[in-house]
């Protein structure tokens, strides 16, 4: 059977040409466009509810979050009116066990927690405490908070990145509100963007500005700190190339990082938990903003070349080594797997 996905992108209000949320499928490496599922303004990030037929979209340039009821494999309908978010809302994560949707807003740094109603629709959000810049110096220009991603950890806690304040924050989700547990300062200028949790408990953070992967580990008291950091190869230069998405392929215990500007997917192995650069290979397009794993292949959303690429991975070293198929799609920024419920 086909594996099916939802694709979000930038529409004209965000400088792109997307018409909204599209449905696509892949079978035996061949991609198929299943059509426009619903029109939307710059649905740049999508998140599916794991147990309800509901899809959430960050309408980035409208500063809103929309919920859609899923109708089959290729259609959506609005589930209530979009709810207000912060400026440039760019990421969503579903904390299903807590009945909460967490939104990250790049423009004003807000992190928001939306109660999810029994039908999957959203109530008004609670705003988490604002980030405090750990590198602030009195008398110097204030740096803007830039929230970029939230992830629900296996413990049920939530971890968020702040690209502008070079920090990650760990939260307890209590009665629908985010209560700060810890702020982890990285190095000034790192620009933490996205992260992924390993079953070992280690967290791997990819940095947009320093172009590295940082491993965070927790001590016996549950407080996180930096364990190691690794480069993405000599050809990836900070300030010229901009890592975007990081993913974990558990069967092979490898990390995959899409690098914008360099037009590559970088692959790292894990040696006693420490990321080790294995190599990189072309992403078959321009500006690889997001990717997901499908068996022994990657689907890559190449935003500026307007394609979704299916790329096979070498069975020995895991590097992308062959283009399986390509699908023309306007300004794609996010690929979300459909969930059977």
């Amino acid at each position: 059977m086909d594996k099916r996905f939802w694709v979000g992108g930038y529409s004209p209000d965000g400088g792109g040409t997307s018409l909204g949320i599209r449905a696509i499928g892949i079978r035996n490496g061949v991609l198929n466009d299943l059509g426009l599922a619903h029109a939307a303004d710059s649905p740049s990030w999508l998140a599916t509810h794991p147990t309800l037929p509901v899809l959430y979209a960050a309408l980035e340039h409208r500063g809103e979050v929309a919920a859609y009821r899923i109708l089959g494999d290729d259609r959506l309908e609005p589930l209530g009116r979009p709810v207000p978010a912060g400026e440039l809302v760019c990421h969503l994560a579903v904390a299903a066990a807590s009945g909460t949707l967490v939104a990250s807003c790049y423009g004003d740094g807000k992190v928001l927690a939306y109660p999810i109603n029994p039908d999957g629709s959203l109530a008004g959000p609670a705003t988490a405490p604002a980030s405090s810049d750990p590198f602030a110096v009195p008398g110097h220009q204030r740096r803007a908070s830039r929230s970029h991603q939230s992830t629900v950890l296996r413990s049920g806690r939530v971890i968020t990145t702040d690209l502008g304040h070079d920090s990650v924050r760990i939260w307890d989700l209590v009665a629908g509100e985010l209560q700060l547990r810890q702020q982890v300062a990285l190095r000034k200028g790192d620009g933490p963007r996205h992260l992924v949790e390993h079953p070992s408990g280690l967290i791997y953070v990819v940095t947009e500005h320093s172009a590295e992967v940082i491993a965070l580990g927790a001590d016996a008291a549950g407080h996180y700190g930096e364990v190691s950091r690794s480069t993405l190869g000599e050809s990836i230069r900070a300030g010229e190339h901009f890592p975007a998405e990081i993913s974990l392929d558990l069967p092979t215990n490898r990390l995959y990082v899409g690098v914008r500007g360099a037009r590559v997917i970088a692959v790292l192995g894990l040696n006693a938990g420490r990321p080790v650069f294995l190599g990189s290979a072309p992403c078959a397009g321009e500006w690889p903003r997001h990717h997901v794993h499908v068996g022994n292949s990657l689907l890559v959303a190449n935003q500026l070349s307007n394609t979704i690429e299916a790329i096979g991975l070498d069975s020995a070293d895991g590097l992308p080594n062959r283009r399986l198929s390509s699908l023309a799609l306007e300004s794609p920024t996010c690929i979300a797997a459909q969930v059977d419920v």
Side-chain angles (χ1 to χ4, degrees):
M1 291 181 62
D2 290 2
K3 291 186 179 295
R4 300 181 185 272
F5 299 85
W6 307 108
V7 179
Y10 280 135
S11 56
D13 69 342
T17 55
S18 173
L19 298 177
I21 303 168
R22 302 192 73 88
I24 68 170
I26 183 169
R27 176 182 291 184
N28 298 325
V30 178
L31 290 159
N32 296 290
D33 183 4
L34 304 177
L36 183 67
H38 203 279
D41 293 328
S42 288
S44 63
W45 191 268
L46 307 175
T48 50
H49 195 288
T51 60
L52 296 173
V54 176
L55 177 73
Y56 301 103
L59 308 181
E60 184 168 334
H61 291 272
R62 289 181 55 171
E64 296 177 329
V65 176
Y68 298 92
R69 183 179 290 109
I70 297 171
L71 305 176
D73 294 327
D74 58 2
R75 304 299 294 174
L76 303 168
E77 68 175 12
L79 184 58
R81 296 179 61 85
V83 292
E87 296 176 13
L88 300 179
V89 54
C90 63
H91 190 275
L92 305 171
V94 179
S98 301
T100 305
L101 179 76
V102 182
S104 300
C105 306
Y106 181 84
D108 56 16
K110 288 182 179 178
V111 179
L112 305 170
Y114 294 86
I116 299 174
N117 297 319
D119 65 352
S121 61
L122 299 174
T127 304
S131 175
S132 176
D133 187 352
F135 300 99
V137 177
H140 286 243
Q141 185 176 1
R142 180 185 177 194
R143 301 196 307 167
S145 170
R146 303 292 190 192
S147 297
H148 211 291
Q149 188 201 29
S150 55
T151 299
V152 182
L153 300 175
R154 286 169 172 79
S155 65
R157 296 191 178 103
V158 173
I159 184 169
T160 61
T161 62
D162 196 302
L163 195 150
H165 283 175
D166 299 309
S167 65
V168 300
R169 291 184 289 172
I170 294 94
W171 310 82
D172 290 314
L173 194 51
V174 180
E177 294 189 357
L178 290 163
Q179 298 181 359
L180 185 61
R181 183 180 183 87
Q182 184 190 2
Q183 181 181 33
V184 183
L186 303 179
R187 293 178 186 170
K188 188 176 183 180
D190 275 342
R193 180 181 172 93
H194 281 194
L195 56 81
V196 65
E197 184 186 22
H198 191 273
S200 67
L202 289 171
I203 295 168
Y204 298 103
V205 185
V206 67
T207 61
E208 181 170 325
H209 294 158
S210 65
E212 296 172 300
V213 172
I214 299 170
L216 302 178
D219 61 18
H223 293 100
Y224 285 89
E226 182 176 323
V227 174
S228 68
R229 60 175 59 214
S230 307
T231 69
L232 299 174
E234 294 181 0
S235 64
I236 305 302
R237 295 177 292 275
E240 295 182 35
H241 305 129
F242 306 96
E245 180 68 357
I246 183 170
S247 63
L248 170 65
D249 182 43
L250 264 181
T252 62
N253 216 31
R254 296 186 181 113
L255 299 170
Y256 288 77
V257 177
V259 185
R260 297 165 298 169
R263 306 175 183 175
V264 300
I265 303 294
V267 184
L268 300 93
L270 297 175
N271 183 2
R274 179 188 176 91
V276 178
F277 176 70
L278 299 177
S280 62
C283 64
E286 177 66 35
W287 217 249
R289 189 180 182 95
H290 190 236
H291 63 264
V292 296
H293 293 264
V294 182
N296 195 34
S297 66
L298 286 181
L299 300 190
V300 183
N302 284 317
Q303 179 188 337
L304 298 185
S305 53
N306 300 302
T307 59
I308 302 289
E309 303 288 344
I311 305 174
L313 304 176
D314 187 273
S315 59
D317 59 18
L319 293 179
N321 67 354
R322 62 197 185 283
R323 188 188 210 174
L324 302 175
S325 63
S326 179
L327 183 64
L329 220 60
E330 301 90 346
S331 309
T333 59
C334 178
I335 307 168
Q338 294 193 14
V339 178
D340 294 326
V341 295

